[in-house]
Amino acid sequence: MTATEGVIRPARDRASEGGRAPARRVSLNDDRWPDWLATFSFVLSAIALVTWLVPPLRHFFDRTDDPVSLATVPIVPNLVYAAVLFVLGVGLRRRLQSAWWAFVVLLLVLPSIGRVASLVGADRDPLDAVGLVVAVALLVAAVRARRQFTARTARRAGLTALVVFVVGTVLVSLVGTWMLTTFADKSRAGADVAIADVLLGDLGLVAYPGVVAPMWVRVLVNVMGAAVVLGSALVLFRSPAYTRTLSAGDEAAVRTLLRDHGDLDSLGYFATRRDKAIVWDTDDPARARAGVSYRVVRGVSLASGNPVGDPEHWPAAIEAWRRDARANGWSLAVMAAGSEGARAFEESGLTVFEIGDEAILDLGSFSLNAPGLKPVRQAVSRLHRRGYEVQVRRHDTLTPDDLDQLAASASSWRGDGGDERGFSMALGRLGDPLDGDCVLVEARDGTGALRGFISLVPWGRNGLSLDLMRRDPTADNGLVELLVASLAEQAPRLAVRRVSLNFAMFREAFTRGEELGAGPLARLGRQALLLASRNWQLESLYRSNAKYLPDWQPRFICFEYSSDLPRVGIAAGSAEGFLTAPSIRSTLRRAGARDEAL
């Protein structure tokens, strides 16, 4: 997939195509001042980093009278200073009040005080007057943008960040003092220059060009100081604890909208997950016409699928979601949006990239006798000969004993203790009374033992979407094919015409890389994905879907800023269960599983 292929182009006039007229564009960038201030901070950070890396520039700015710093804002050729500016930019972009105050005090107020003192003193420099004018202009801009910085940090974040900074500074000072005492050349320094002053000089706080230390010492001191700054900022800019979940009223409103508009998205039913929250296009859920379902993961307001409800009201719901994220300092991201949803998010100011395809089976035309389905047909026939039987039924017909057996089997068949993965395409529960319309397809062997099952949630009036798929690792090969084929066979009785199977991430890259005559970049991309598949089963999911010859529907990831991509990737991986924080409990559990296997 090329970079241009992954982007949804601006929507055409749908009225000319016979569809609905395009909704009014709601821009996420109407409040641009915070973004401009953040960009300014990022640019200064980049300049400080470049001047630190390039010796001639470092020598030019590593003095107290460089004209650029006097006439504009302070430029310090130092990694610590670059880290400070970078974290300030991140905080400004997230509309954090604490970041605004830090920006104003560190970059505007304190330097201005020094310039005023210089102007009224004996050693006047005309450039100080220019710098004071620039600082005042920036201060006016920052004050104008003050109301747009509405996000607060977690309680006691400032005190905790101060403790982290003080402890880190002490440690860096001890280590740095030892290194400078051992390796620095102090022969050219005056007798009144203390080693602490030399350390401050290497951290960019005080300039003592008469003291020379090996480059690796200076780099290491800078890296340690930058790590302290970044760690303190991470604590200071931490978002408040997230406690929202789906209320009973919100869930009822979601189910009402799915009844009227559920056909638009196969992932719509997953908005009823109770560990998610939802933001409506109006303050009254009873009158809501659209909403964005999301969960906050690692400071990212992570939505999934399309907005629920009437597409005409999606822009208002997206704008409400944006305001909610702004008020809490969260980044914005969407996982697995469909084409229409991705276009709505793009029209609202987010960047959109295709990340894979969803496999859709048309059960009305699906037949095992199709020429391309010979491997599936053979697998189904083989299991039938071995005595396997399949039962297809709605969840509202299951007994408590049935549900207990399913839950126990699903847990025992997983090798990590039974934790379920999934966020955007998983319901996260089994056997809830409100999920009676869900469908269960279970397979038993010749002895009557349960060997595997799939559970599917409703998709509009006549569709199903795969929620959970579990199989006994010791079961015969072809079990999943048997389950899918049996579902297709029972589709008329269930009044089901289409089913959404698994999501195949980067499917196009796999297919393009294995085509005859594929270019070197396509082959290289496929090899990289094959390497990643050793841990994340990317290829196996693609292959398991492709064998049914489905229709492929693209799915997209949406985000606001490119700089947010690392955070968004970590948040999405954590939500889907692919990235987990290490813990003693998980380590002991995996060790116990290995012992049992041996």
Side-chain angles (χ1 to χ4, degrees):
M1 179 178 65
T2 63
T4 56
E5 289 171 338
V7 180
I8 295 184
R9 299 304 176 192
R12 293 175 291 174
D13 187 350
R14 298 186 185 91
S16 64
E17 299 175 358
R20 62 181 178 89
R24 181 180 66 86
R25 183 182 180 93
V26 180
S27 175
L28 291 181
N29 296 317
D30 290 339
D31 52 348
R32 297 177 181 177
W33 276 109
D35 293 334
W36 289 341
L37 293 179
T39 301
F40 178 72
S41 186
F42 286 139
V43 170
L44 289 180
S45 176
I47 293 175
L49 180 62
V50 171
T51 57
W52 178 66
L53 293 174
V54 180
L57 293 177
R58 184 169 65 248
H59 296 322
F60 176 81
F61 286 99
D62 196 10
R63 56 182 183 169
T64 58
D65 60 344
D66 74 88
V68 178
S69 297
L70 293 176
T72 57
V73 293
I75 302 296
V76 181
N78 189 269
L79 185 59
V80 177
Y81 187 68
V84 170
L85 293 172
F86 177 80
V87 297
L88 272 183
V90 172
L92 292 170
R93 179 160 282 179
R94 292 172 60 191
R95 275 65 172 173
L96 292 172
Q97 295 178 1
S98 56
W100 183 88
W101 280 107
F103 178 85
V104 169
V105 172
L106 295 179
L107 289 184
L108 304 180
V109 174
L110 292 181
S112 296
I113 293 175
R115 291 187 175 102
V116 171
S118 175
L119 290 173
V120 300
D123 299 330
R124 298 179 181 179
D125 191 327
L127 291 178
D128 279 323
V130 178
L132 184 61
V133 172
V134 173
V136 171
L138 288 174
L139 183 60
V140 171
V143 171
R144 287 188 57 185
R146 174 68 180 86
R147 290 181 298 176
Q148 298 174 15
F149 290 87
T150 58
R152 297 180 180 273
T153 56
R155 290 186 59 187
R156 301 180 180 177
L159 179 59
T160 307
L162 179 61
V163 172
V164 173
F165 180 78
V166 171
V167 173
T169 301
V170 170
L171 293 177
V172 173
S173 300
L174 292 175
V175 176
T177 300
W178 173 80
M179 288 193 299
L180 289 171
T181 304
T182 306
F183 302 104
D185 180 8
K186 300 181 286 297
S187 59
R188 288 183 290 169
D192 58 338
V193 178
I195 196 66
D197 296 330
V198 179
L199 178 62
L200 293 177
D202 277 320
L203 289 177
L205 302 179
V206 179
Y208 284 97
V211 177
V212 179
M215 179 56 65
W216 69 269
V217 173
R218 304 197 66 172
V219 169
L220 188 56
V221 170
N222 272 266
V223 170
M224 290 189 298
V228 172
V229 171
L230 294 175
S232 303
L234 183 65
V235 175
L236 177 62
F237 295 155
R238 187 174 71 249
S239 300
Y242 173 74
T243 58
R244 301 181 197 173
T245 54
L246 195 69
S247 67
D250 286 337
E251 184 175 352
V254 170
R255 292 181 181 275
T256 299
L257 292 178
L258 290 177
R259 181 188 61 199
D260 299 330
H261 304 283
D263 291 318
L264 298 176
D265 188 13
S266 63
L267 307 187
Y269 196 85
F270 300 125
T272 64
R273 283 181 63 126
R274 287 156 199 156
D275 58 350
K276 293 182 179 180
I278 192 163
V279 176
W280 300 108
D281 62 326
T282 179
D283 294 334
D284 184 4
R287 301 174 55 189
R289 302 296 301 275
V292 176
S293 174
Y294 72 97
R295 189 170 78 197
V296 177
V297 183
R298 300 181 183 273
V300 177
S301 182
L302 189 64
S304 59
N306 296 347
V308 297
D310 186 352
E312 292 290 344
H313 296 268
W314 284 359
I318 296 173
E319 175 64 14
W321 172 57
R322 178 198 68 85
R323 290 195 302 268
D324 179 63
R326 287 282 186 267
N328 292 279
W330 300 326
S331 300
L332 299 173
V334 186
M335 278 294 296
S339 295
E340 285 298 310
R343 182 168 285 110
F345 285 115
E346 185 196 44
E347 290 175 350
S348 297
L350 271 67
T351 301
V352 176
F353 283 99
E354 182 178 344
I355 57 171
D357 297 271
E358 177 186 15
I360 306 294
L361 282 185
D362 183 354
L363 299 184
S365 59
F366 181 83
S367 173
L368 286 178
N369 295 322
L373 292 177
K374 182 179 179 180
V376 177
R377 182 169 63 249
Q378 291 176 338
V380 172
S381 298
R382 182 174 63 254
L383 291 189
H384 277 313
R385 290 194 301 268
R386 296 181 180 180
Y388 276 77
E389 296 182 354
V390 179
Q391 187 176 13
V392 183
R393 47 182 172 165
R394 297 279 183 180
H395 278 210
D396 56 11
T397 65
L398 299 175
T399 66
D401 291 339
D402 293 332
L403 295 172
D404 290 342
Q405 183 184 16
L406 292 173
S409 297
S411 177
S412 64
W413 292 339
R414 284 187 59 85
D416 59 357
D419 294 338
E420 298 296 349
R421 290 180 177 176
F423 164 72
S424 57
M425 299 183 179
L427 193 58
R429 62 177 182 260
L430 186 65
D432 191 280
L434 295 179
D435 297 330
D437 288 337
C438 294
V439 172
L440 176 71
V441 186
E442 55 184 334
R444 298 180 181 273
D445 60 18
T447 65
L450 181 66
R451 306 307 297 270
F453 67 89
I454 58 176
S455 181
L456 306 101
V457 301
W459 171 16
R461 293 179 176 83
N462 60 4
L464 294 173
S465 183
L466 180 64
D467 168 34
L468 188 63
M469 177 185 294
R470 292 289 176 264
R471 65 183 297 274
D472 188 340
T474 64
D476 295 282
N477 293 331
L479 183 64
V480 176
E481 290 89 331
L482 175 63
L483 294 171
V484 173
S486 300
L487 174 64
E489 183 181 353
Q490 296 294 319
R493 178 177 64 84
L494 299 171
V496 173
R497 291 194 55 84
R498 55 183 178 170
V499 59
S500 168
L501 297 177
N502 276 319
F503 168 70
M505 185 172 286
F506 307 124
R507 180 196 69 88
E508 187 176 355
F510 278 113
T511 57
R512 179 168 299 178
E514 62 188 6
E515 289 177 352
L516 182 65
L521 291 180
R523 293 182 181 275
L524 180 61
R526 180 175 177 272
Q527 290 300 320
L529 291 175
L530 291 176
L531 183 63
S533 296
R534 297 179 180 179
N535 293 324
W536 292 302
Q537 300 180 345
L538 300 178
E539 185 189 26
S540 61
L541 282 176
Y542 158 59
R543 300 292 182 191
S544 64
N545 292 330
K547 67 178 67 174
Y548 304 106
L549 306 181
D551 296 323
W552 296 102
Q553 299 294 330
R555 287 282 170 177
F556 303 86
I557 185 173
C558 314
F559 54 92
E560 189 173 10
Y561 301 112
S562 298
S563 59
D564 285 339
L565 274 178
R567 300 179 69 232
V568 170
I570 293 174
S574 300
E576 298 290 356
F578 296 111
L579 297 177
T580 56
S583 65
I584 297 177
R585 180 180 178 182
S586 61
T587 302
L588 293 176
R589 188 172 59 189
R590 285 193 295 268
R594 286 194 298 266
D595 292 341
E596 291 179 1
L598 294 175

